[in-house]
Amino acid sequence: PPARGVVQLQDVEFTYPGADDPVLSDINLTARPGGMTAIVGSTGAGKTTLLSLIPRLFDVTGGRVLLDGLDIREYDPAQLWERIGLIPQKAFLFTGTVASNLRYGNPDATDEELWRALEIAQAKDFVAEMPEGLNAPVAQGGSNVSGGQRQRLAIARALVKQAPVYLFDDSFSALDVATDARLRRALRPISAHATVIVVAQRVSTIVDADQIIVLENGRVVGTGTHDELLAGCATYVEIVQS
Ligand code: M5T
Ligand code: MG
């Protein structure tokens, strides 16, 4: 069957290797294509950990994660990775060129596809301004680009994969508010057919998410729309007001 991108976490528990206590417990959620799921919660709540379980950077220690109805442990790891575009909280670039960084994950992408991804990621202008364009060198650790540019290139790299599932871990925090807003608008056509899960610091940017999951100390303390959570989730109200 074709990849659709339905992600389900069922009774998920996770304890880091060597640790005593779980950092996630009783996590249940479903994220569907054609919508955006946002995850909010204070620092250390477990947001990054939760995302890392979906491409199997770590395996759950209880419960299960399903992709399109199949336990992710049943997938070939490469097949799973092909279906998930992860934009980590700390974007990283490889030493090479802009193009080699973007083609990681989809070596066959055409230049046109790269430019399209750069356009959505709000990275087209600064790449076009580099004399070498797509062939501009990326220095070790991406040290010749700014933090915000690095983040946008990492977003473009994920988009080049054309995955059915995208996981954005706080990927907009290094961007100014205007670029953040433009990027989110540009991503709308993608979330119209893909499953998009975003971890957000700025609650203002996820008020129109289809569902918002509120995490506190590794547990889900609220699930709903912005209005539903404002009316019924004290933790969410606190986050909004902070
Ligand atoms: C959740 C602990 C961390 C915290 C909890 C990544 C990582 C985290 N932890 C480890 O013990 N080992 C690790 O490798 O797990 O942490 P998180 O998932 O990083 O939380 P967050 O993403 O919600 O926080 P933040 O600051 O990114 O908003 O107890 O010590
Ligand atoms: Mg985090």
Side-chain angles (χ1 to χ4, degrees), residues 87-88 91-93 149-159:
I87 300 94
F92 56 84
L93 296 175
Q149 290 173 334
R150 201 177 310 148
Q151 238 174 355
R152 284 178 275 167
L153 290 173
I155 291 168
R157 172 199 289 147
L159 296 176

Side-chain angles (χ1 to χ4, degrees), residues 39-47 200-201 203 206 212-223 225-226 228-242:
I39 300 176
V40 300
S42 55
T43 181
K47 306 180 295 295
Q201 289 297 338
V203 171
I206 50 99
I212 302 168
I213 314 269
V214 187
L215 275 189
E216 189 177 1
N217 294 325
R219 287 175 186 273
V220 176
V221 296
T223 301
T225 62
H226 176 72
E228 287 164 358
L229 291 167
L230 272 188
C233 179
T235 308
Y236 187 72
V237 173
E238 255 172 58
I239 293 169
V240 171
Q241 287 169 351
S242 67

